[in-house]
């Protein structure tokens, strides 16, 4: 008997997460309106409001869970405050932001592995943000000061932060069952986000 955690032929957690979520990423990407000619300033604001409605409860659930393995720094990586900054720049008051609808059907985050899977999705999204940032600057003249800071939440640190996150992931000693829990949570994060955005009528 041997554990797959020590089996050199077993795929890494990152490989398992990539394989398990690749199609969901493509599906969501195709429904997001960032590259649509119909996207205007009003739709962009509704989209960001819907992002807030998912990220706020999601980050709160993750950070309140007490289950994120040591080595992850929420203070460096929390993204909801940047969304709040953007919503202010787009004209929403604190009161209006507080009153925005929020997702209540979050992925189940009841193990460290599940938290890692969800964090993989939220950290990976900062990579696509770089593409979206350029597109929104060109198309809607949106930048960090007028509602687009979230798309560039880590700024020049984006690549470094992703690499640091991958190093952190690679240090997690997950066995095969735990890796499966991580993938399940990552998949639920993608599909939960898509369902939430759909319910807010901001997708194509
Ligand atoms: C239209 C919207 C999007 C575009 C154009 C996009 C594009 C990209 C691109 C180009 C990468 C690879 C970057 C690189 O390797 O340097 C990437 C990675 C990733 N994106 Fe997106 N993305 C979008 C939306 C999202 C969303 C909404 C999420 C999750 C909420 C997400 C999650 C991820 C993840 C987890 C990765 C990392 C994959 C890996 O390398 O393991 N993306 N995205």
């Amino acid at each position: 008997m041997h554990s797959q955690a020590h089996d050199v032929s077993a795929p890494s957690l990152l490989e398992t997460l990539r394989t398990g979520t690749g199609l969901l990423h493509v599906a969501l990407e195709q429904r997001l309106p960032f590259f649509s000619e119909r996207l205007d300033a009003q739709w962009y604001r509704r989209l960001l409001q819907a992002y807030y409605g998912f990220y706020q409860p999601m980050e709160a659930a993750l950070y309140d869970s007490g289950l994120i393995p040591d080595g992850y720094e929420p203070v460096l990586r929390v993204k909801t405050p940047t969304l709040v900054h953007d919503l202010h720049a787009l004209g929403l008051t604190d009161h209006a932001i507080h009153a925005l609808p929020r997702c209540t059907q979050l992925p189940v985050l009841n193990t460290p592995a599940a938290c890692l899977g969800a964090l993989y999705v939220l950290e990976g999204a900062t990579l696509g943000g770089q593409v979206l940032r350029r597109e929104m600057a060109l198309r809607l003249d949106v930048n960090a000061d007028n509602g687009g800071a979230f798309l560039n939440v880590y700024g020049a640190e984006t690549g470094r932060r992703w690499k640091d996150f991958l190093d952190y992931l690679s240090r997690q000693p997950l066995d095969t069952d735990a890796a499966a829990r991580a993938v399940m949570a990552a998949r639920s994060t993608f599909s939960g986000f898509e369902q939430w955005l759909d319910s807010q009528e901001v997708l194509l």
Side-chain angles (χ1 to χ4, degrees), residues 18 25 28-29 32 51 120-121 124-125 127-128 132 162 190 193:
R18 278 185 173 146
H25 183 282
L28 177 55
E29 199 181 326
L32 282 164
Y51 262 70
Y120 162 77
V121 180
L127 302 175
L132 305 179
W162 177 242
F190 266 112
F193 190 36

